[in-house]
Amino acid sequence: MEIAITSSPREASRFAAQFVAGVVRANPAAVLGLATGGTPLDLYRELIRMHREEGLRFSGCTAFNLDEYVGLGHGHPASYRRFMEEHFFQHLDFRPVNIRIPDGTAPEVAAHCAGYERAIAEAGGIDVQILGIGSDGHIGFNEPGSSLGSRTRIKSLTERTRADNARYFAPGEEVPRHVITMGIGTILQARSVVLLAFGERKAGAVAAMVEGPVTAMVPASALQWHPVVKVLVDEAAASALARRDYYREVFANKPDWQRWEGAPSLD
Ligand code: PGA
C-alpha cells in the first residue's frame, strides 16, 4: 500500500483526481469503480472542474458503483443512484448506457448481482476503484465478517453503519437494513484502488487496514493483498498509524519516475 498523509481532504482529493484523470487520459475507454458517501465529494468536484476547464472527457468511460440500498428506487432522495446523478454524472459527459449502479428494486436480487459481476467482466474489469472506508473498517457495504472472496451480493448493514448513514435520510425515516454491494473479491480484482479517509472518526479503521492483520473483521485489511492501492488520508485519519513518520518520508522522497501522474510532491 502507498500511504499519502496530506494536509487536508482537499489536497488528498486533488491527488486522487490527478490519479483518476491520468488513468482516463491514458485510456479514454477506462472503467471506473465509484463510491458514494461524504468522502469522495471533493474528488468528484475536482474531476468535474477538470472536465469543464481542462477538457477531461468521460464519454468513452464506463462506471460501476459499489453499492445501493435494497428497496430504494431511483427517485428516492437517499438512493445512491440519485446521489451519483446529483454529485457526479449530471455534470459530466458519460453516456447513460455506460453508467451502472446496482438496482435496489431488482425483483431477483441474486440474478441481478450475478448480472452485475458479468457486466464488470464484459467491460474488461475495473481500471481504478475509488473507495471510502467505514468507521468499522467496511469497504463498499462489506461489513465486518464479510468473506474476503465475496462477490456482488445482498448484505445486512450493522447498526453502526445504519447510524452513520442516518444523516442522509429524513428525520424518523428508517435506514434500510439490506444493501447490494460489490464483494471484497470483486474490489480486489480492480487494477488499482484509491482509498480516501478523512477525520479522526476514521483513524482506528485506517490503522487496522494498513497495519493490522488481514482479517474479515476489518474488510479493508484485505487490500493488503492488492498490488496497487493508494491510501490518501488527512492528518486526523492518519493519527493512529504507528509508522506515520515513515510513510511521510517515503512519500516525500519518491524517485521522480514513481511520482503520481502530475502530482506534486507533498513536501
Ligand atoms: P463516508 O462513508 O464517506 O460517508 O464517511 C464511507 C463509507 O462508509 O465507506
Side-chain angles (χ1 to χ4, degrees):
M1 285 185 184
E2 188 176 2
I3 319 295
I5 303 173
T6 61
S7 61
S8 66
R10 177 68 58 92
E11 183 183 42
S13 304
R14 261 201 343 263
F15 281 161
Q18 276 160 351
F19 182 76
V20 174
V23 170
V24 171
R25 287 196 184 104
N27 174 13
V31 179
L32 309 182
L34 300 177
T36 51
T39 304
L41 285 177
D42 272 345
L43 160 61
Y44 293 159
R45 280 188 204 108
E46 179 64 7
L47 289 172
I48 293 163
R49 188 199 64 73
M50 289 171 148
H51 171 66
R52 289 192 179 141
E53 296 176 13
E54 298 172 13
L56 183 65
R57 308 224 19 206
F58 295 90
S59 51
C61 292
T62 301
F64 287 90
N65 257 81
L66 282 167
D67 44 19
E68 180 60 285
Y69 292 104
V70 169
L72 299 198
H74 295 179
H76 194 287
S79 75
Y80 284 169
R81 162 72 65 170
R82 173 78 84 86
F83 180 100
M84 291 306 297
E85 281 299 331
E86 188 177 325
H87 296 289
F88 198 61
F89 293 123
Q90 70 169 346
H91 309 283
L92 296 169
D93 58 340
F94 279 88
R95 294 174 59 211
V97 68
N98 289 340
I99 295 173
R100 308 295 294 258
I101 299 175
D103 181 357
T105 63
E108 299 284 346
V109 175
H112 178 66
C113 293
Y116 203 71
E117 287 282 333
R118 260 196 320 275
I120 294 172
E122 282 164 15
I126 291 169
D127 292 302
V128 53
Q129 175 66 55
I130 292 158
L131 293 178
I133 182 170
S135 60
D136 60 1
H138 71 223
I139 47 175
F141 268 140
N142 294 283
E143 296 283 34
S146 293
S147 159
L148 300 184
S150 51
R151 313 302 305 195
T152 302
R153 69 214 183 289
I154 191 166
K155 283 294 288 181
S156 298
L157 297 180
T158 63
E159 279 310 309
R160 182 166 169 179
T161 299
R162 293 179 74 220
D164 280 351
N165 288 4
R167 66 188 191 280
Y168 294 109
F169 289 78
E173 192 180 2
E174 281 267 300
V175 178
R177 286 180 188 284
H178 296 116
V179 292
I180 293 171
T181 181
M182 279 187 207
I184 298 173
T186 319
I187 292 168
L188 289 178
Q189 276 188 333
R191 291 185 189 90
S192 61
V193 174
V194 174
L195 185 144
L196 298 163
F198 309 130
E200 209 183 328
R201 209 170 56 85
K202 301 292 175 73
V206 168
M209 164 180 71
V210 176
E211 295 177 339
V214 174
T215 165
M217 292 312 291
V218 180
S221 67
L223 296 172
Q224 291 178 28
W225 278 106
H226 194 289
V228 188
V229 178
K230 294 170 187 300
V231 177
L232 291 136
V233 291
D234 64 358
E235 292 284 347
S239 59
L241 287 166
R243 305 206 316 152
R244 53 188 185 281
D245 290 344
Y246 174 68
Y247 308 135
R248 278 200 188 89
E249 189 188 316
V250 170
F251 200 82
N253 293 294
K254 276 187 181 305
D256 282 346
W257 60 266
Q258 216 188 24
R259 290 186 191 282
W260 301 8
E261 169 91 10
S265 149
L266 282 174
D267 52 14

